Amino acid sequence: MGNYRVCWGFTRKFKISEAEPPTDVKEAFKKYSGDGIHMTADQLRRFLEEYQGDDGHYASISEAERIVEQILHKRHHLPKFMNRKALSLEDFHHYLFNTDLNPPIRSQVHQDMTAPLSHYFIYTGHNSYLTGNQLSSNCSEVPIIKALKGGVRVIELDLWPNSSKNTVHVLHGRTLTSPVDLLRCLKAIKDYAFVASPYPVIITLEDHLTPDLQAKVAQMVTDTFGSMLFCPELEIFEELPTPESLKYRILISTKPPKEYITEHHHKRSNSRKCRISDNDDGVCYMLLSGNDRSDHGVDNDGKQSPSSPVYKQLIAIHAGKPKGGLKDALKVENDKVGRLSLAEQALEKAVENYGHDVVRFSQKNILRIYPKGTRITSSNYKPLIGWLHGAQMVAFNMQGYGRSLWLMHGMFRSNGGCGYVKKPDFLMKHGPMNEVFNRKAKLPAKTSLKVNIYMGDGWHLDFKKTHFDKYSPPDFYTRIGIAGAPVDKKMKRTKIKEDKWTPVWNEEFIFPLAVPELALLRIEVHGYNMSEKDGFAGQICLPVSELRPGIRAVPLCNRKGDQYTAARLLMRVCWCFTRKFKVSEAEPPIDVKEAFKKYSDDGIHMTPDQLRRFLEESQGDDQHDGSSSEAERIVEQILHKRHHLPKFMNRKALSLEDFHHFLFSVDLNPPIKSQVHHDMTAPLSHYFIYTGHNSYLTGNQLSSNCSEIPIIKALKRGVRAIELDLWPNSSKNKVRVLHGRTLTSPVDLMRCLKAIKDYAFTASPYPVIITLEDHLTPDLQAKVAQMITETFGSMLYLPESENLEELPTPESLKYRILISTKPPKEYLEVEDDKKSISRKSSISDTNNDEEDDDDDDDSSSEDPSKHGSSYEEKCFKSGCDVDIDGKVSPPSPVYKRLIAIHAGKPKGGLKDALKVEKDKVRRLSLAEKALEKAVENHRQDVVKFSQKNILRIYPKGTRITSSNYKPLIGWLHGAQMVAFNMQGYGRSLWLMHGMFRANGGCGYVKKPDFLMKEGPTNEVFNRKSKLPPKTTLKVKIYMGDGWHLDFKKTHFDKYSPPDFYTTVGIAGAPVDKKMKRTKIKEDKWTPVWNEEFMFPLVVPELALLRVEVHDYNMSEKDDFAGQICLPVCELRPGIRAVPLCNRKGSQYTSARLLMRFEFM
């Protein structure tokens, strides 16, 4: 028998050929490269910005240069290529196909991390110590390390005593799993907790220990983590802390020990029935455990031992389930938050019967879901049902596998992979009828996601040539779809590309999305096999809300979720909006048409004289605003702005559209006058004065920088009272401005003074008052006096007498600067007052703000070294020098002579401080809380005091974020200086801006007469008195426009034009306060409301018209679209254009409303 040889002859070759760039890539290169051959860094930057939709850093020239440099360095090694500094088409294609340089989602944390923990989905592990299945695998610290490296933020440890009950083991109880020592797990957590993310790690403990072992665990935890451990100050939180505040911290979450004792017997009885409690041991392994449930706190005699107090103090998030059924467990308590755990089956039952309660519970509390006990192989459940109901901790077996785990990986690729993903706003808010999000509701598609799969590459580097097919290259196809809300779920697939290691599909898929915020893009690649199961070739899940539009390189991962080295897809993502963003101009309202028809003879053109008649008769304008010259100026400006052809310019008349344009122009037709028109010859005490607080601070009151820039901004806005806190430097030879006894960085006094000199009268010619809070020695006071005198020169107002009997007038003080502070001699007396008050413990708040009524040093605590009782310390604070022999030097006389308005508080209580003295005037400062107390107990005295003297109100010391209080209480009692943090924000500051739009924005608003006079029986104005309305303000809101010019098209809604509504109301006396709102106008950049509102006014002199525009969002928080506050007494009747401002109070360029005002 002869020898023979057998071999295979392959009919198809394994040769790998590189596919050429897709058509879209070629066209993009041709469009953005000047010559079609090379693309420079600047051309690449334009491509990134315009085609890819990148912004900020991603579309910067430095980023484009970095990309070019890296691509050339990687692909070319010859100097001639490196010096070219431009990309060829192949280089450009290589860049787009690079997962490091052109990934599908961003890798930075970009979500707001300052909300409570309950506002986030948290990457959560289940039985984190298991290496394999739930029944017989080993327990180890290795799976914990892997999980932490992968970004997991919640680690679960099951604590059990050893057989001798003297050591703590981590294991899956009542199974065949082998234990691991607790200390090894804790050390692993400490070493790897913040490798992948700086945000907090939460350790959930399922403990089955005696109190002695609990105390031992407490010691181990404390010793291991040290300062990393977050120990709450309160036993129970009313609101959970934020991820930002917990950076690099470790939290413990478990049931308080006392609960284990009370549940002990309950668990034993339930164990006989094999029911799963809140303790997620999984299955009741009766055969393995017999009847041996946990022995918490029970000694040999069966007596209960007390639980460990130290252990209890470590618990940051209390877990537990209240007595009663599931309905009771989901109740939200106002005064505390906690964690509730439900098995996946219990969650299904809960959302079926109490879906709304589940969502409401998870808005404030932590809801944790864990796998059912029958998942012995460490498989996982579908996570979307938990996320769609707001469950923060959807706990997974991270050592498991399968599509459910891929979805988990996909969700937590969001937000830079930091392990915390902010929940959509629609899961955190209630609707008008207190309803919450319902995943089963029939919702319209918000958008459509269009995905183009161009090609794939890299498998030949990650797999053997015969991995997919022994006899030929693979036949790849891609499955792509959406996992998310039930209405969004869908899977599609490409055609099969035979015998291609680099398959080119060029196929497009469109996915309508109702809930894009929770949608995940699922991608799987398989190698088709006609006779066997299709081969797995990679997968990835990506959060739809994080997808970067444009052409992107999408990496693929193996079954365990680890990224392949080379296998990837080239795809294009874009959004197809189901509604168009087209901006259509609305026609003039009927009232405008009728006015035009009435005042234009032919109904076609309106001459200047006809416009003058309209201004005078319909608008109620006075002689200047309704003069012929003013009408001619308006016609000329409108024609010049809207028409450029000579035939229009020569027409000298307005069309209906021109007339409407004039009415809608905030420059030509504003709602209030821009000229000073109040009597400015009364004493200063007769005016409200635009006043800043800590005017030098750039941000918060505790740690921001001090600078002259906020002073300049305030002066440019019209602020007339600037506050400076003066402190000596450490050598006590220079003067600095800073917020004392805080972490604020100082600024040199001279810089502040020069800034005031240069900008004092930019916005207004009326006097600037500098209020000084000085903490200086007489030598430094003399130095300050010299600096002030030299800086301001003749601008400085120096009073002729030490004490004024009546304050001068704003008119007489034009372009002058006044100093207001305590005379130096008073410091010693005030210091004695302070000490006597502190001995009586009559100060309710440690902040000086709260009761030290004339010194708003807002420090939260004083330096103990400066609070001693020595004579020298007293003299330092009082403004007098102490020489070597202990003698007291007199205060600086020059400094004292500069003081135009004396500040100070007489001896005695608040009643004494409010006494009016006939022969002198002064300034008194009260904290906002002290004012509330004063108007409650001494209302008449407050009003009478402010008729002659200056009353200054300032924010309480706890307003560390530079927030502000409600200013109306001050104004309603005549307080001239309602001091505000001008660098702050919010509605209170908007009211301040509104008040000082009055009187031409000059910073001085004359107080109403009723605050300056007394009645027949010596009574003064009482804001709480029941008075009839003096007038009624009728407001009609016609329409709005201009947002499309001030905001991006996708600012309000990614998928459609905005749905605007307006809230309008009155801020003022309590009886006048009211807010109303228009209907919502859907999908309109130029909404037309034509709605009318009536506001009866008892105190119109101090009423402010509040206007806010918002974009309604059914599934998220309504978006801010502008605001303005206007003084009611200054409103010009008629049809007016009302400008809108941003949150900081700066006017938008275009956004405005067309409104009509009428007093009845």
Side-chain angles (χ1 to χ4, degrees):
M1 188 172 174
N3 294 331
Y4 63 90
R5 184 179 180 185
V6 175
C7 66
W8 297 99
F10 295 109
T11 57
R12 289 178 261 181
K13 295 181 180 179
F14 281 91
K15 184 180 178 182
I16 299 165
S17 58
E18 187 173 342
E20 64 176 15
T23 303
D24 286 356
V25 173
K26 291 178 181 177
E27 289 179 354
F29 184 81
K30 184 178 178 181
K31 179 180 178 181
Y32 288 95
S33 61
D35 54 5
I37 301 172
H38 294 110
M39 181 181 281
T40 65
D42 187 61
Q43 291 165 344
L44 177 61
R45 182 199 62 76
R46 277 186 55 235
F47 165 78
L48 295 175
E49 184 179 328
E50 297 172 13
Y51 192 95
Q52 298 285 79
D54 289 342
D55 54 18
H57 166 74
Y58 289 91
S60 65
I61 188 64
S62 60
E63 177 65 6
E65 288 171 350
R66 186 184 71 86
I67 290 168
V68 170
E69 186 178 342
Q70 287 204 24
I71 291 296
L72 294 178
H73 182 77
K74 190 172 184 178
R75 284 178 51 82
H76 309 289
H77 304 289
L78 296 175
K80 67 176 182 178
F81 290 107
M82 296 300 294
N83 295 332
R84 192 178 66 200
K85 299 294 183 185
L87 303 178
S88 65
L89 172 61
E90 290 71 25
D91 295 331
F92 181 64
H93 182 220
H94 182 85
Y95 152 64
L96 290 174
F97 219 164
N98 187 303
T99 57
D100 294 325
L101 295 177
N102 188 34
I105 60 175
R106 294 186 176 182
S107 58
Q108 292 82 17
V109 174
H110 57 88
Q111 294 175 0
D112 173 22
M113 302 301 284
T114 62
L117 288 174
S118 56
H119 290 225
Y120 301 84
F121 298 124
I122 309 174
Y123 205 177
T124 303
H126 172 257
N127 290 354
S128 307
Y129 48 85
L130 286 178
T131 55
N133 68 60
Q134 303 286 307
L135 189 60
S136 60
S137 65
N138 293 329
C139 301
S140 168
E141 74 278 13
V142 175
I144 296 172
I145 294 170
K146 285 183 179 177
L148 291 169
K149 283 184 174 180
V152 172
R153 298 290 87 194
V154 182
I155 299 295
E156 182 186 26
L157 301 178
D158 284 285
L159 309 185
W160 292 82
N162 66 347
S163 55
S164 306
K165 296 188 178 178
N166 59 0
T167 305
V168 181
H169 283 164
V170 174
L171 76 154
H172 195 196
R174 309 187 184 93
T175 66
L176 299 175
T177 55
S178 59
V180 61
D181 189 61
L182 171 62
L183 194 55
R184 286 173 63 181
C185 296
L186 296 179
K187 286 182 177 177
I189 293 171
K190 180 187 177 184
D191 292 342
Y192 293 91
F194 306 110
V195 170
S197 167
Y199 292 99
V201 166
I202 303 169
I203 304 175
T204 60
L205 299 179
E206 292 291 344
D207 101 66
H208 309 264
L209 306 174
T210 61
D212 287 346
L213 288 179
Q214 286 174 349
K216 185 174 279 192
V217 168
Q219 186 70 43
M220 292 165 69
V221 167
T222 306
D223 290 346
T224 303
F225 297 126
S227 60
M228 295 166 69
L229 189 65
F230 174 76
C231 295
E233 295 176 4
L234 301 173
E235 184 176 332
I236 295 175
F237 288 114
E238 289 187 18
E239 185 178 66
L240 291 164
T242 71
E244 190 65 31
S245 68
L246 294 171
K247 269 186 169 179
Y248 302 104
R249 304 299 291 274
I250 290 172
L251 286 73
I252 304 297
S253 178
T254 186
K255 291 180 182 176
K258 64 179 180 181
E259 294 188 22
Y260 282 108
I261 299 170
T262 56
E263 290 183 10
H264 173 65
H265 295 294
H266 176 66
K267 285 187 179 179
R268 290 180 69 97
S269 63
N270 279 354
S271 68
R272 296 187 187 99
K273 300 175 187 176
C274 197
R275 288 176 62 183
I276 301 173
S277 72
D278 188 43
N279 197 18
D280 63 315
D281 290 339
V283 179
C284 296
Y285 296 110
M286 302 297 290
L287 295 174
L288 298 170
S289 62
N291 210 20
D292 180 26
R293 296 296 284 173
S294 173
D295 295 327
H296 298 292
V298 182
D299 61 20
N300 294 332
D301 300 324
K303 296 177 182 178
Q304 290 183 353
S305 305
S307 59
S308 166
V310 182
Y311 181 80
K312 189 176 180 181
Q313 287 164 9
L314 300 182
I315 303 173
I317 304 174
H318 285 230
K321 182 177 173 184
K323 292 180 180 179
L326 192 53
K327 179 80 173 173
D328 296 315
L330 292 168
K331 280 184 180 173
V332 178
E333 299 182 68
N334 292 330
D335 58 344
K336 67 176 180 178
V337 291
R339 172 172 67 83
L340 174 67
S341 291
L342 296 177
E344 57 175 290
Q345 290 165 314
L347 175 68
E348 290 171 11
K349 188 185 295 183
V351 301
E352 189 66 33
N353 300 319
Y354 314 110
H356 285 195
D357 294 323
V358 174
V359 176
R360 288 191 184 100
F361 179 86
S362 65
Q363 288 175 343
K364 184 178 181 182
N365 300 277
I366 299 289
L367 180 58
R368 176 177 171 271
I369 314 302
Y370 58 89
K372 61 186 179 183
T374 52
R375 293 190 181 276
I376 294 171
T377 59
S378 293
S379 63
N380 288 297
Y381 51 100
K382 295 177 181 178
L384 265 306
I385 189 173
W387 293 330
L388 284 163
H389 289 86
Q392 295 87 350
M393 295 183 177
V394 176
F396 259 38
N397 296 308
M398 295 299 168
Q399 75 278 24
Y401 52 87
R403 288 189 171 95
S404 292
L405 189 58
W406 299 348
L407 296 179
M408 178 66 68
H409 293 159
M411 169 62 87
F412 289 100
R413 286 187 174 98
S414 297
N415 202 22
C418 74
Y420 286 82
V421 175
K422 199 158 191 304
K423 296 199 286 187
D425 286 341
F426 65 75
L427 284 173
M428 299 305 300
K429 65 188 274 189
H430 297 198
M433 305 299 293
N434 204 33
E435 73 275 12
V436 292
F437 175 72
N438 181 2
R439 69 186 173 107
K440 293 183 179 179
K442 290 184 179 179
L443 299 171
K446 288 182 178 178
T447 185
S448 290
L449 176 67
K450 185 163 73 174
V451 180
N452 196 322
I453 305 176
Y454 293 118
M455 60 190 296
D457 199 4
W459 288 281
H460 63 286
L461 300 173
D462 287 317
F463 296 87
K464 292 181 180 179
K465 288 184 179 180
T466 56
H467 177 86
F468 296 103
D469 194 322
K470 288 183 179 179
Y471 317 117
S472 69
D475 306 327
F476 286 131
Y477 67 90
T478 297
R479 295 180 72 237
I480 184 167
I482 297 294
V487 69
D488 291 336
K489 287 174 66 176
K490 193 172 285 186
M491 286 300 292
K492 300 180 180 182
R493 76 177 240 180
T494 65
K495 294 174 182 176
I496 297 165
K497 290 296 174 180
E498 294 184 355
D499 302 339
K500 296 286 184 183
W501 280 103
T502 308
V504 176
W505 291 287
N506 275 324
E507 292 188 46
E508 190 173 87
F509 303 92
I510 296 178
F511 301 99
L513 298 173
V515 191
E517 300 88 345
L518 288 178
L520 294 166
L521 182 66
R522 287 181 52 194
I523 301 169
E524 296 177 23
V525 182
H526 297 269
Y528 175 73
N529 199 321
M530 184 172 61
S531 58
E532 297 178 15
K533 185 179 179 182
D534 292 351
F536 174 82
Q539 61 79 24
I540 196 166
C541 282
L542 297 168
V544 167
S545 61
E546 300 256 332
L547 289 173
R548 301 169 68 196
I551 301 171
R552 305 293 177 183
V554 179
L556 294 173
C557 301
N558 62 21
R559 292 181 187 275
K560 292 184 177 180
D562 299 323
Q563 189 174 315
Y564 287 124
T565 306
R568 64 205 186 279
L569 299 174
L570 186 65
M571 299 170 61
R572 183 176 182 180
V573 171
C574 67
W575 301 99
C576 304
F577 298 105
T578 55
R579 291 176 260 178
K580 295 181 179 178
F581 281 90
K582 186 179 178 182
V583 180
S584 57
E585 188 172 342
E587 63 177 19
I590 293 173
D591 287 356
V592 174
K593 291 179 179 177
E594 290 180 351
F596 184 80
K597 184 178 180 182
K598 179 180 177 181
Y599 288 95
S600 62
D601 286 340
D602 55 4
I604 300 173
H605 294 110
M606 180 181 280
T607 65
D609 187 60
Q610 291 164 345
L611 176 62
R612 180 197 61 73
R613 280 183 53 233
F614 165 77
L615 295 175
E616 186 178 316
E617 297 172 14
S618 182
Q619 297 287 82
D621 287 349
D622 55 21
Q623 287 184 346
H624 169 73
D625 292 328
S627 65
S628 296
S629 59
E630 179 64 10
E632 288 172 358
R633 186 184 70 85
I634 290 169
V635 170
E636 186 179 340
Q637 285 204 25
I638 290 294
L639 293 178
H640 181 77
K641 190 172 183 180
R642 285 178 52 82
H643 308 288
H644 304 288
L645 296 176
K647 66 176 181 178
F648 290 107
M649 296 300 292
N650 296 331
R651 192 179 66 198
K652 299 296 184 185
L654 303 179
S655 66
L656 172 60
E657 290 70 25
D658 295 332
F659 180 64
H660 182 221
H661 183 85
F662 152 64
L663 289 175
F664 220 165
S665 168
V666 294
D667 295 324
L668 297 176
N669 188 36
I672 59 175
K673 293 184 177 181
S674 57
Q675 296 82 22
V676 175
H677 56 89
H678 291 182
D679 172 22
M680 302 302 283
T681 61
L684 287 175
S685 58
H686 289 226
Y687 300 85
F688 297 125
I689 306 172
Y690 206 177
T691 304
H693 172 255
N694 290 355
S695 308
Y696 48 84
L697 285 178
T698 56
N700 69 62
Q701 303 286 309
L702 190 60
S703 58
S704 64
N705 292 330
C706 302
S707 169
E708 74 279 11
I709 292 172
I711 297 171
I712 295 170
K713 287 182 179 178
L715 291 169
K716 282 183 174 181
R717 194 174 196 102
V719 172
R720 299 291 86 192
I722 299 294
E723 182 185 26
L724 301 178
D725 283 286
L726 309 184
W727 292 82
N729 65 349
S730 55
S731 305
K732 296 184 183 177
N733 59 359
K734 286 186 179 179
V735 181
R736 303 183 303 175
V737 174
L738 76 154
H739 195 196
R741 309 184 186 97
T742 66
L743 301 175
T744 55
S745 58
V747 60
D748 189 63
L749 171 61
M750 185 56 82
R751 287 173 62 180
C752 297
L753 296 179
K754 285 182 178 177
I756 294 171
K757 179 187 177 183
D758 293 342
Y759 293 91
F761 306 110
T762 301
S764 168
Y766 291 98
V768 167
I769 302 168
I770 304 175
T771 61
L772 300 179
E773 292 290 342
D774 100 65
H775 308 263
L776 305 174
T777 61
D779 285 347
L780 289 180
Q781 287 175 347
K783 186 175 280 190
V784 167
Q786 186 174 351
M787 292 164 70
I788 289 173
T789 306
E790 290 176 355
T791 302
F792 298 125
S794 60
M795 296 167 68
L796 189 65
Y797 173 77
L798 299 173
E800 294 177 2
S801 61
E802 185 176 328
N803 290 312
L804 298 172
E805 290 187 17
E806 186 179 65
L807 290 164
T809 72
E811 189 64 32
S812 68
L813 293 172
K814 269 187 170 180
Y815 301 105
R816 304 298 291 273
I817 288 171
L818 287 73
I819 304 298
S820 178
T821 186
K822 291 179 185 175
K825 67 178 182 181
E826 294 187 17
Y827 276 105
L828 187 56
E829 296 166 7
V830 172
E831 185 63 24
D832 289 329
D833 287 344
K834 286 185 185 178
K835 288 187 175 291
S836 63
I837 289 170
S838 66
R839 292 189 193 101
K840 296 174 186 174
S841 299
S842 63
I843 299 177
S844 59
D845 196 320
T846 56
N847 290 305
N848 291 345
D849 282 9
E850 303 303 323
E851 294 294 341
D852 177 12
D853 296 330
D854 199 50
D855 188 352
D856 64 327
D857 175 9
D858 298 331
S859 58
S860 57
S861 62
E862 289 197 9
D863 184 348
S865 65
K866 294 183 180 179
H867 204 65
S869 58
S870 74
Y871 190 61
E872 289 81 359
E873 288 171 341
K874 227 183 339 181
C875 289
F876 173 75
K877 287 194 174 184
S878 67
C880 50
D881 273 338
V882 181
D883 61 20
I884 298 171
D885 301 323
K887 294 179 181 178
V888 182
S889 301
S892 166
V894 183
Y895 181 80
K896 189 175 180 181
R897 284 200 294 269
L898 298 182
I899 303 173
I901 304 174
H902 285 230
K905 177 182 170 184
K907 292 181 179 179
L910 193 53
K911 180 80 172 173
D912 297 316
L914 292 167
K915 280 183 180 174
V916 178
E917 299 177 71
K918 291 183 179 180
D919 58 344
K920 67 175 180 179
V921 291
R922 57 191 168 89
R923 172 173 66 83
L924 174 67
S925 290
L926 296 178
E928 57 176 288
K929 282 189 175 179
L931 175 68
E932 290 171 12
K933 190 184 294 183
V935 300
E936 190 66 33
N937 302 320
H938 313 291
R939 177 187 54 80
Q940 294 217 69
D941 295 324
V942 174
V943 176
K944 287 176 182 174
F945 179 87
S946 64
Q947 289 174 345
K948 183 178 181 182
N949 300 278
I950 299 289
L951 180 58
R952 176 175 171 273
I953 314 302
Y954 58 90
K956 61 186 178 183
T958 52
R959 293 190 180 276
I960 293 172
T961 59
S962 293
S963 63
N964 288 297
Y965 51 100
K966 295 177 181 178
L968 265 306
I969 189 173
W971 294 328
L972 284 163
H973 290 87
Q976 295 87 351
M977 293 184 171
V978 177
F980 259 38
N981 296 308
M982 296 300 168
Q983 77 279 23
Y985 51 87
R987 288 188 170 94
S988 293
L989 189 58
W990 300 347
L991 296 179
M992 177 65 68
H993 294 159
M995 169 61 88
F996 288 99
R997 287 189 174 99
N999 200 22
C1002 74
Y1004 285 83
V1005 175
K1006 199 159 190 305
K1007 295 201 286 187
D1009 287 342
F1010 63 76
L1011 283 174
M1012 298 306 299
K1013 64 183 183 180
E1014 298 176 11
T1017 57
N1018 208 29
E1019 75 276 9
V1020 293
F1021 173 71
N1022 183 358
R1023 67 188 173 109
K1024 294 184 178 179
S1025 296
K1026 290 185 178 179
L1027 300 170
K1030 290 181 181 178
T1031 186
T1032 296
L1033 173 65
K1034 186 162 73 172
V1035 177
K1036 189 166 185 177
I1037 305 175
Y1038 292 113
M1039 60 190 296
D1041 199 4
W1043 288 282
H1044 63 288
L1045 300 172
D1046 289 319
F1047 296 87
K1048 290 183 179 178
K1049 287 184 179 180
T1050 55
H1051 177 87
F1052 297 106
D1053 196 322
K1054 287 183 179 179
Y1055 320 115
S1056 69
D1059 307 323
F1060 287 131
Y1061 66 90
T1062 297
T1063 60
V1064 61
I1066 298 294
V1071 69
D1072 291 336
K1073 286 174 67 177
K1074 192 172 288 185
M1075 288 300 292
K1076 299 181 180 182
R1077 85 176 226 180
T1078 65
K1079 293 175 182 175
I1080 297 162
K1081 293 296 174 180
E1082 293 185 357
D1083 303 340
K1084 298 287 184 184
W1085 279 105
T1086 309
V1088 176
W1089 292 286
N1090 277 323
E1091 293 188 47
E1092 196 169 82
F1093 304 95
M1094 309 278 275
F1095 300 100
L1097 298 173
V1098 174
V1099 190
E1101 300 90 343
L1102 289 178
L1104 294 166
L1105 182 69
R1106 287 181 52 195
V1107 182
E1108 293 181 27
V1109 182
H1110 296 268
D1111 164 54
Y1112 174 74
N1113 203 322
M1114 181 173 63
S1115 59
E1116 298 179 10
K1117 186 179 179 182
D1118 293 350
D1119 292 310
F1120 174 83
Q1123 61 78 25
I1124 196 167
C1125 284
L1126 297 168
V1128 167
C1129 61
E1130 300 257 332
L1131 289 173
R1132 302 168 70 198
I1135 301 171
R1136 304 294 177 182
V1138 178
L1140 294 174
C1141 302
N1142 62 20
R1143 292 182 187 276
K1144 292 183 177 180
S1146 302
Q1147 189 173 312
Y1148 288 124
T1149 306
S1150 303
R1152 64 205 186 279
L1153 298 174
L1154 187 65
M1155 301 173 68
R1156 182 171 191 163
F1157 306 114
E1158 185 179 350
F1159 290 96
M1160 302 174 67

